[in-house]
Amino acid sequence: MDNREKLEKMDRALRLLQDLKQSQVAMVEKSSKLQVDAMEFNFSEMEKNMGNLFSTFNESLDKINTELERFEIRRNQFEMKHGLDKEEGLSPKVD
């Protein structure tokens, strides 16, 4: 696998991490909403369980954010180190 292929694979992984983050955000929001609903319905067990889920999902979101940031930095460093941040095959315009 050459460096361009590695970068493309890193980009796919980055998109997956971003998708995972969006999914986790939705889980945090939904569990929070359900917890509030359970309070209104006076369903204490559901309220407690949704609160626990909210905490778990929120912790997972923090981990995903950390990995996303770390991976993005590594990906960008790889791109710059190997000169992949420059357009291939294009020569500068001369006026």
Side-chain angles (χ1 to χ4, degrees):
M1 178 180 328
D2 70 9
N3 289 334
R4 176 67 58 194
E5 290 172 323
K6 285 181 184 178
L7 184 63
E8 288 171 3
K9 195 168 189 171
M10 287 177 162
D11 286 341
R12 283 192 300 273
L14 194 57
R15 285 190 300 273
L16 285 173
L17 280 167
Q18 290 166 340
D19 185 49
L20 185 59
K21 177 184 174 178
Q22 291 305 315
S23 297
Q24 200 65 29
V25 166
M27 299 282 275
V28 168
E29 291 171 353
K30 289 175 183 178
S31 61
S32 176
K33 173 70 173 114
L34 286 169
Q35 184 181 18
V36 170
D37 288 348
M39 284 182 212
E40 291 175 5
F41 302 142
N42 200 24
F43 293 161
S44 60
E45 189 172 336
M46 181 179 170
E47 179 184 343
K48 178 184 170 205
N49 289 335
M50 291 304 109
N52 290 339
L53 280 176
F54 172 83
S55 295
T56 300
F57 294 151
N58 207 36
E59 287 174 21
S60 295
L61 180 58
D62 289 343
K63 289 178 184 178
I64 292 167
N65 281 328
T66 298
E67 282 308 311
L68 183 59
E69 183 178 314
R70 192 178 324 181
F71 187 75
E72 195 167 22
I73 290 168
R74 296 276 310 262
R75 180 247 176 247
N76 292 342
Q77 289 172 339
F78 180 86
E79 180 182 46
M80 290 176 64
K81 177 182 177 183
H82 297 287
L84 300 171
D85 55 332
K86 298 167 182 56
E87 293 289 325
E88 285 186 25
L90 295 178
S91 49
K93 275 188 168 181
V94 178
D95 290 326

